[in-house]
Amino acid sequence: MTTTMSPFIERAQAKGEVYIEQPYDLYSEENHETWRRLYARMLPRWEKYGNEHFLQGIANLCLNPDRVPRLEDVNQFLSPLTGFRAKAVSGYVPAFQFFDCLRNRDFPTTITVRHGDKIDYLPEPDIFHDIAGHVPMHTDKAFAETLVRFGDCAHTAAELAKGVTDPEERIRRLTSVIKAMARFFWFTIEFGLMKDRSGTGYKAYGSGLLSSFGELEHCIESPEVQRYPVQLEWVVNQYFEIDHYQPLLFVVDSFDHLFSLVDELEGWMRKGKLDNVSPGEPGVGEADLRSFLHD
Ligand SMILES: [Fe+2]
């Protein structure tokens, strides 16, 4: 079940199956060994740079440091806390379906494991990114509510798009709104920082940071990283690139703060304030646009 080398996943993709089972017996000893190495070297960095809600989440999930997790086991610890469940997927989930899953408290989860000889290189999400990077946060009530609220935003975006009669204008506006949502998600859920308890330092809560051995230290320690208090008007207009360490990160005060920003994002969407965000990355693909127009 290695990333890009799993016939089981390829067959599911060829059949158009997005939601799949986790065929646990297909994990090789090498896959388990990769998980063990990833987990062992991350642990001290999590303790040093991870947000306290994340550390509580890691404790709550009782992950086995030595074996690739079974989603079923993860869900036994996760669901009673916030209602969230990790749900196995075969690969990319188009944007609307992804956010709609969050609204239903399902988290689309990649089940493949990265190559053992490239543990730093992550061309796409794998189970370590999704389960060790994202899911611990889903045990936190305020964070879980934020994700659900994000799912509401996707529904609002779809509704608003359907109300635009001119097809070209509909696509133009929807592209801008999806871009704004993707940027917000990137700079918070994937790469967010939070003030630490003292109010002077930072801790990571973004899963892209928490699943990267190198970047987790870099994002807190490096003088090359710009860290600014989060501002919605900036985040929705800020392009990002995915192939190197992030040079610019945004800081929230708390998850209640983050939730209020998602609320504000939806308010801005309804007022048309996201219809003309600045162009640039990320690109919005055909599949993502279609997903918003045909639910
Ligand atoms: Fe992610």
Side-chain angles (χ1 to χ4, degrees):
M1 294 281 286
T2 307
T3 303
T4 71
M5 288 173 56
S6 170
F8 173 85
I9 295 291
E10 277 162 31
R11 278 198 301 275
Q13 287 171 343
K15 285 193 267 176
E17 293 168 0
V18 177
Y19 302 108
I20 55 175
E21 294 299 310
Q22 182 187 26
Y24 196 79
D25 293 342
L26 295 185
Y27 290 112
S28 63
E29 274 315 307
E30 192 201 332
N31 292 150
H32 290 298
E33 175 59 15
T34 302
W35 175 274
R36 192 196 62 72
R37 284 165 56 215
L38 283 165
Y39 197 97
R41 70 174 192 160
M42 283 310 291
L43 196 56
R45 291 217 167 166
W46 284 337
E47 282 160 1
K48 194 163 176 197
Y49 301 117
N51 168 275
E52 59 186 313
H53 302 281
F54 172 80
L55 295 174
Q56 185 59 53
I58 285 284
N60 288 341
L61 291 178
C62 305
L63 297 174
N64 181 341
D66 297 325
R67 308 296 286 175
V68 174
R70 269 180 210 273
L71 269 46
E72 225 177 285
D73 297 343
V74 170
N75 290 341
Q76 276 194 3
F77 291 101
L78 172 62
S79 298
L81 296 171
T82 59
F84 261 85
R85 290 165 304 259
K87 190 175 162 93
V89 294
S90 63
Y92 185 72
V93 181
F96 183 84
Q97 273 82 28
F98 179 83
F99 294 130
D100 187 49
C101 266
L102 298 183
R103 194 165 178 249
N104 295 320
R105 298 178 192 261
D106 281 328
F107 179 66
T109 303
T110 317
I111 55 169
T112 51
V113 183
R114 71 191 73 179
H115 293 261
D117 56 353
K118 291 181 190 152
I119 61 173
D120 285 322
Y121 179 63
L122 199 56
E124 52 192 305
D126 74 342
I127 194 166
F128 189 78
H129 171 79
D130 279 348
I131 294 288
H134 279 280
V135 173
M137 302 303 310
H138 303 174
T139 65
D140 182 89
K141 284 203 167 60
F143 189 88
E145 292 310 317
T146 303
L147 291 184
V148 172
R149 194 78 187 89
F150 215 86
D152 293 339
C153 285
H155 277 260
T156 303
E159 235 175 75
L160 291 170
K162 280 169 196 154
V164 182
T165 42
D166 177 52
E168 244 176 68
E169 178 61 6
R170 183 189 306 140
I171 295 297
R172 192 198 65 74
R173 282 194 210 174
L174 183 58
T175 302
S176 175
V177 168
I178 297 173
K179 200 183 280 288
M181 287 182 68
R183 287 172 174 167
F184 184 94
F185 197 85
W186 180 266
F187 285 111
T188 58
I189 310 301
E190 294 287 350
F191 285 91
L193 293 179
M194 190 186 286
K195 275 189 193 158
D196 70 4
R197 280 192 165 191
S198 72
T200 53
Y202 307 106
K203 297 281 186 184
Y205 73 89
S207 52
L209 301 171
L210 288 161
S211 59
S212 165
F213 180 72
E215 190 161 9
L216 183 52
E217 181 180 67
H218 181 86
C219 75
I220 306 283
E221 304 280 7
S222 172
E224 289 165 17
V225 178
Q226 306 178 76
R227 304 169 193 89
Y228 291 112
V230 65
Q231 281 174 255
L232 198 50
E233 59 273 47
W234 186 351
V235 168
V236 298
N237 288 295
Q238 177 63 50
Y239 78 90
F240 61 82
E241 292 166 339
I242 63 170
D243 56 353
H244 51 80
Y245 288 174
Q246 298 300 305
L248 169 63
L249 297 172
F250 294 101
V251 185
V252 299
D253 298 336
S254 65
F255 290 139
D256 288 334
H257 180 205
L258 183 60
F259 183 89
S260 73
L261 288 168
V262 181
D263 246 4
E264 211 177 339
L265 184 78
E266 197 202 22
W268 284 22
M269 200 184 279
R270 288 191 185 281
K271 286 185 202 145
K273 286 178 76 171
L274 304 180
D275 291 348
N276 296 285
V277 299
S278 71
E281 293 295 312
V284 177
E286 187 79 11
D288 291 328
L289 282 165
R290 262 189 280 122
S291 73
F292 274 80
L293 296 168
H294 301 287
D295 71 299

